[in-house]
Amino acid sequence: MQVIKYPSREAWPEILKRPQQDLGELRRKVQQIIENVRTQGDSTLIDFARHYDKVELDSVLVGIDEWKAADEIPLKLRDAIETARKNILQFHKGQKPVEIMVETTPGVWCWRKALPIQKVGLYIPGGTAPLLSTFLMLAVPAQIAGCSQIVVCTPPNKEGKVDPAILYIAKQLGITQVFKAGGAQAIAAMAYGTETIPAVYKIFGPGNRYVTMAKQVVSMDGVAIDLPAGPSEVLIIADGNARPEFVASDLLSQAEHGMDSQVMLVLTDETLIDPVQKALEEQLQKLPRSRTAQAALEHSRIILVNNVEEAMELSNAYAPEHLILMTENAGVLAEKVQNAGSVFIGPWSPESAGDYASGTNHTLPTNGYAFSYSGVSVESFMKVTSFQRISPTGIKNLGSTIMELAAAEGLEAHRMAVQVRLSALKEKTEGNETNG
Amino acid sequence: MQVIKYPSREAWPEILKRPQQDLGELRRKVQQIIENVRTQGDSTLIDFARHYDKVELDSVLVGIDEWKAADEIPLKLRDAIETARKNILQFHKGQKPVEIMVETTPGVWCWRKALPIQKVGLYIPGGTAPLLSTFLMLAVPAQIAGCSQIVVCTPPNKEGKVDPAILYIAKQLGITQVFKAGGAQAIAAMAYGTETIPAVYKIFGPGNRYVTMAKQVVSMDGVAIDLPAGPSEVLIIADGNARPEFVASDLLSQAEHGMDSQVMLVLTDETLIDPVQKALEEQLQKLPRSRTAQAALEHSRIILVNNVEEAMELSNAYAPEHLILMTENAGVLAEKVQNAGSVFIGPWSPESAGDYASGTNHTLPTNGYAFSYSGVSVESFMKVTSFQRISPTGIKNLGSTIMELAAAEGLEAHRMAVQVRLSALKEKTEGNETNG
């Protein structure tokens, strides 16, 4: 890791810069894939599985034998899935927004109601290992939200099958629409539908460059997506109390995700630099994905600053996806967070707790999106509709205000919509007076 | 308006189709404008004002004389602004999310905290008239959210000045960063910053085709935007009780927005068709924007269906931005809304109430985005960060679950981050035992 000591504020933008990529070529490739799926449907998915996943599929449907195999996953894994599911459920179930009615003017009642997005698509990456945790992190909140149709796409493994643990989770949750499709083609299938895979209104889930570009492309065409994507990242703030082996293990958790992972360590104590570097070397050797982690560390940074306050300012200027605070009084420091996806407080809160099982969602804004985006929550699977009901008294009270503003904006029909109502009320009152 | 009687379900998709546009050429033009602003800053803004707004600006800053003129707007308009502001404030202030801490496992505390997006940009269109209401609808929730920097861009009028009513609102709200810039160039300025205009993290506000395309383009580059855009639209469900002149005035309120406005009337009573058409003709003649409204009506539809339930199903399949219910028991019917931006219940609730003054937000999902997007609210100006604090007991309780799932996903460093902590706790316990 590159070590930078006591940088000036002027140097911060350069230090905090994330790598830029030229995505033009990737975009063109992905647009072609999407076009193929739109025009040729399932057969394109089967062609791509042959080409990219090296498997021959009869159909993108999951076979009965695969569903059966789901019952045979190890008991320990089942227990772990169940614990994670319960915690995720417990944390997310309180996120369903509540309706509050406000009478803003006598006779004018306004309220909001969160409604489920009816059709959602979840992309669960496969690759070297199936991302069980991602499935839980997306499906549990979707079910709390009340989405009536949950469609899942995941790439087949080398045997052309869906991983039994993924199907185990699907069965536990009662999700039946699981399809064998991966990559940009799976995103296209969920965006536009094929003979077998239904089109959805919003697509969730992480993936490789092709998947994230495909999400970006279909989002331009009216299909909502969870979050714009970028390489995963962590920033750790540590003082002299931090244990080097804890710091190193958390840095490596991030680094093993991919060579483009962003790993930043902000220290207030120079004496920690060497022990952390040493712990990194020791732990690296034990990792099956050590080459990936090593490559990520090469463009990562250790930044030495004067105190924890300055460290927090630096973090707020970076807006990390994950922020770990390993300092004395980390809880107090956490109050000063302005921009971060998820914050891990104290030495016993590794990022992997949030990645898997503490209950918080691990689908988070990266690449600086934490300046303006939230991670996935139950709200991500809902949309809010506003309602208003106005009584005759209400429109009398509010009428002149509406008409004045409509006139100022030169929108006469808007003014007239109130005018015709006030006239009708006047006639009615006069009629009543005459009759009375 | 085109009249369609008792369409079959198979015909619904065709009837509910929104017009498609080829945006390739527009995108190229807008990308060029953005590039100019990025490289040449303020001078490009001044060039564009000369070219498009036909005014010669010394600077994009608002002059002292313009700020002074703001004090002289008519009292009636001031009162209307104040009433609208109060109602918007009252409806929106309850939207600030609350923190709830959940102990998902003994020793594992998780919570979320909504934090303001620090820098936001508001685009307030000018054109024929300044959109005062849009300024209120965006600035009030931004201030409730606690955004520390609110930047406003609005095009200069023919005299090269900002409308005094816009500046009056700015003064009332204490917003000082108002700049004279319109069109795609204003969006570029707020996305990337110029010598004078600060860059922001999220851009809000409606606009013409150039503005909305510019928002789409910068959103691909990491700047968040409020909503994808499309032509404004209304769907009215009316039964035999509805008053034709109310229905017509609400249809025209939408139609006068632009020639591309979408206007749909779904009726359950055939006898309403003629009176509504007649009322439309009468009211049209009184409108200064009658040509625009007329053009919008030409591609609009009256659809006759069997009953209000079918009408609501049709509406849910369309997902209108605005939905007006002028039926008996409209409140009960409103319970069945699944997809809509904002719902107006009963004969005394015209769309213009929500557009200006009832308190609900008028920045709403159009073009079918109501299937998956919410309108603007206080939450739109905030992002949510999750937090977790785990105690030694907590990591002992949760450790095996995390390690099991990390192993299943082949992420050894994630597993190790827990392992090193459990080992440290074990040493500590053993040390205590030895010492004790």
Side-chain angles (χ1 to χ4, degrees), chain B residues 59-77:
Chain B
S59 152
V60 295
L61 290 168
V62 175
I64 295 173
D65 55 321
E66 293 171 74
W67 282 110
K68 273 192 188 154
D71 299 330
E72 286 150 34
I73 67 164
L75 190 63
K76 272 182 81 176
L77 183 54

Side-chain angles (χ1 to χ4, degrees), chain B residues 4-8 267-270 303-307 310:
Chain B
I4 302 158
K5 292 184 186 175
Y6 307 112
S8 70
L267 294 176
T268 59
D269 188 331
E270 193 162 358
I303 305 162
L304 183 67
V305 299
N306 294 294
N307 50 54
E310 191 184 352

Side-chain angles (χ1 to χ4, degrees), chain A residues 64-253:
Chain A
I64 294 171
D65 55 321
E66 293 170 75
W67 283 110
K68 272 193 188 151
D71 300 331
E72 285 151 34
I73 67 164
L75 190 62
K76 272 181 81 175
L77 183 54
R78 281 183 206 213
D79 286 345
I81 289 170
E82 182 55 16
T83 302
R85 188 194 67 79
K86 273 191 189 157
N87 285 350
I88 295 166
L89 179 66
Q90 213 183 333
F91 184 64
H92 286 74
K93 70 184 176 190
Q95 293 170 9
K96 210 164 167 176
V98 283
E99 284 176 52
I100 303 169
M101 192 182 282
V102 183
E103 190 176 1
T104 56
T105 291
V108 179
W109 296 274
C110 304
W111 66 100
R112 299 196 306 158
K113 187 173 168 184
L115 292 161
I117 299 173
Q118 295 173 296
K119 304 176 190 186
V120 297
L122 315 183
Y123 183 74
I124 312 300
T128 43
L131 293 190
L132 308 180
S133 57
T134 298
F135 194 8
L136 290 171
M137 292 287 175
L138 298 177
V140 171
Q143 292 193 319
I144 295 170
C147 302
S148 48
Q149 186 166 25
I150 300 174
V151 174
V152 178
C153 280
T154 189
N157 62 18
K158 285 176 203 158
E159 290 80 44
K161 294 184 174 177
V162 171
D163 184 90
I166 293 283
L167 295 175
Y168 174 80
I169 294 173
K171 276 180 138 173
Q172 290 297 108
L173 299 177
I175 292 172
T176 55
Q177 293 194 300
V178 181
F179 302 100
K180 282 181 220 177
Q185 56 276 21
I187 303 302
M190 291 192 281
Y192 303 106
T194 68
E195 302 92 310
T196 313
I197 301 176
V200 300
Y201 299 135
K202 188 167 183 178
I203 297 173
F204 295 77
N208 62 18
R209 283 157 24 100
Y210 285 83
V211 168
T212 58
M213 176 54 78
K215 283 170 69 186
Q216 195 181 84
V217 170
V218 301
S219 79
M220 291 292 92
D221 202 24
V223 182
I225 62 170
D226 49 357
L227 279 169
S232 192
E233 59 198 23
V234 72
L235 186 148
I236 301 179
I237 298 178
D239 65 11
N241 298 302
R243 298 176 68 141
E245 73 272 28
F246 291 10
V247 174
S249 73
D250 290 346
L251 293 173
L252 289 171
S253 293

Side-chain angles (χ1 to χ4, degrees), chain A residues 304-431:
Chain A
L304 184 66
V305 298
N306 294 293
N307 50 53
V308 289
E309 287 73 26
E310 192 184 353
M312 183 54 79
E313 281 182 59
L314 191 77
S315 172
N316 282 330
Y318 182 66
E321 180 189 9
H322 304 97
L323 170 61
I324 302 178
L325 305 178
M326 284 201 257
T327 62
E328 219 184 342
N329 299 322
V332 176
L333 190 61
E335 296 284 323
K336 295 189 177 150
V337 171
Q338 288 177 324
N339 303 305
S342 195
V343 183
F344 299 78
I345 302 171
W348 310 104
S349 311
E351 189 201 304
S352 48
D355 286 343
Y356 291 113
S358 62
T360 60
N361 208 288
H362 78 196
T363 312
L364 295 165
T366 181
N367 202 35
Y369 293 114
F371 283 117
S372 51
Y373 287 86
S374 310
V376 164
S377 68
V378 172
E379 290 108 315
S380 312
F381 293 90
M382 307 187 85
K383 78 272 180 185
V384 178
T385 300
S386 60
F387 291 81
Q388 61 202 279
R389 174 164 207 141
I390 302 180
S391 70
T393 306
I395 196 70
K396 276 193 224 166
N397 286 334
L398 206 54
S400 63
T401 295
I402 301 167
M403 290 195 291
E404 186 68 30
L405 290 168
E409 292 188 2
L411 294 173
E412 174 62 14
H414 283 66
R415 203 194 61 77
M416 203 158 60
V418 175
Q419 186 70 69
V420 294
R421 284 166 168 94
L422 293 183
S423 302
L425 285 173
K426 210 175 159 200
E427 278 167 32
K428 209 173 151 189
T429 317
E430 283 165 4

Side-chain angles (χ1 to χ4, degrees), chain B residues 83-401:
Chain B
T83 303
R85 189 193 67 78
K86 272 190 189 159
N87 285 350
I88 296 167
L89 179 66
Q90 213 183 332
F91 183 64
H92 286 75
K93 70 184 179 191
Q95 293 170 9
K96 210 165 166 175
V98 284
E99 284 175 53
I100 303 168
M101 191 182 281
V102 183
E103 190 176 1
T104 55
T105 291
V108 179
W109 296 275
C110 303
W111 65 100
R112 298 198 305 159
K113 187 173 168 184
L115 292 161
I117 298 173
Q118 295 174 298
K119 305 175 190 186
V120 296
L122 315 183
Y123 182 75
I124 313 299
T128 44
L131 293 191
L132 309 179
S133 57
T134 298
F135 193 8
L136 289 170
M137 291 289 175
L138 298 177
V140 172
Q143 292 192 320
I144 295 170
C147 302
S148 49
Q149 188 166 24
I150 299 174
V151 175
V152 178
C153 281
T154 189
N157 62 20
K158 285 174 200 158
E159 290 79 45
K161 295 185 174 176
V162 171
D163 184 90
I166 293 283
L167 294 176
Y168 173 80
I169 294 173
K171 276 180 137 174
Q172 289 297 109
L173 299 177
I175 291 172
T176 56
Q177 293 195 300
V178 181
F179 302 99
K180 282 180 221 177
Q185 57 275 22
I187 303 303
M190 292 193 280
Y192 303 107
T194 69
E195 303 92 311
T196 311
I197 301 176
V200 300
Y201 300 135
K202 188 167 182 176
I203 297 174
F204 295 77
N208 61 18
R209 282 157 25 98
Y210 285 82
V211 168
T212 57
M213 177 53 80
K215 284 170 68 186
Q216 194 181 86
V217 170
V218 302
S219 78
M220 292 292 92
D221 202 23
V223 182
I225 61 170
D226 48 357
L227 280 169
S232 192
E233 59 198 24
V234 71
L235 187 147
I236 301 178
I237 298 178
D239 64 12
N241 299 301
R243 295 176 69 142
E245 73 272 27
F246 291 8
V247 174
S249 72
D250 290 346
L251 292 172
L252 289 171
S253 294
Q254 195 59 53
E256 76 173 341
H257 270 301
M259 298 205 240
D260 56 358
S261 277
Q262 300 292 300
V263 176
M264 309 278 258
L265 172 60
V266 184
L267 294 176
T268 59
D269 188 331
E270 193 162 358
T271 64
L272 218 66
I273 298 176
D274 289 340
V276 166
Q277 300 260 39
K278 201 164 152 255
L280 278 172
E281 276 169 40
E282 281 174 19
Q283 295 183 14
L284 247 180
Q285 292 169 10
K286 301 179 194 161
L287 295 186
R289 297 168 67 93
S290 62
R291 280 182 59 189
T292 303
Q294 179 85 58
L297 289 182
E298 269 159 29
H299 58 80
S300 294
R301 287 159 196 167
I302 298 176
I303 305 162
L304 183 67
V305 299
N306 294 294
N307 50 54
V308 290
E309 288 72 28
E310 191 184 352
M312 182 54 79
E313 281 181 59
L314 191 76
S315 173
N316 282 329
Y318 181 66
E321 180 189 8
H322 304 97
L323 170 61
I324 302 178
L325 305 179
M326 284 202 260
T327 60
E328 218 184 341
N329 299 322
V332 176
L333 190 61
E335 295 284 323
K336 295 190 178 151
V337 171
Q338 288 177 324
N339 303 305
S342 194
V343 183
F344 299 78
I345 302 171
W348 311 104
S349 310
E351 189 201 304
S352 48
D355 286 344
Y356 290 113
S358 62
T360 60
N361 208 288
H362 78 195
T363 312
L364 296 166
T366 181
N367 203 35
Y369 293 114
F371 283 117
S372 51
Y373 286 86
S374 310
V376 164
S377 67
V378 172
E379 291 106 315
S380 311
F381 293 91
M382 307 187 84
K383 77 274 181 186
V384 179
T385 299
S386 59
F387 290 81
Q388 59 202 281
R389 176 165 206 137
I390 302 179
S391 70
T393 306
I395 197 71
K396 275 192 222 164
N397 287 334
L398 207 55
S400 61
T401 294

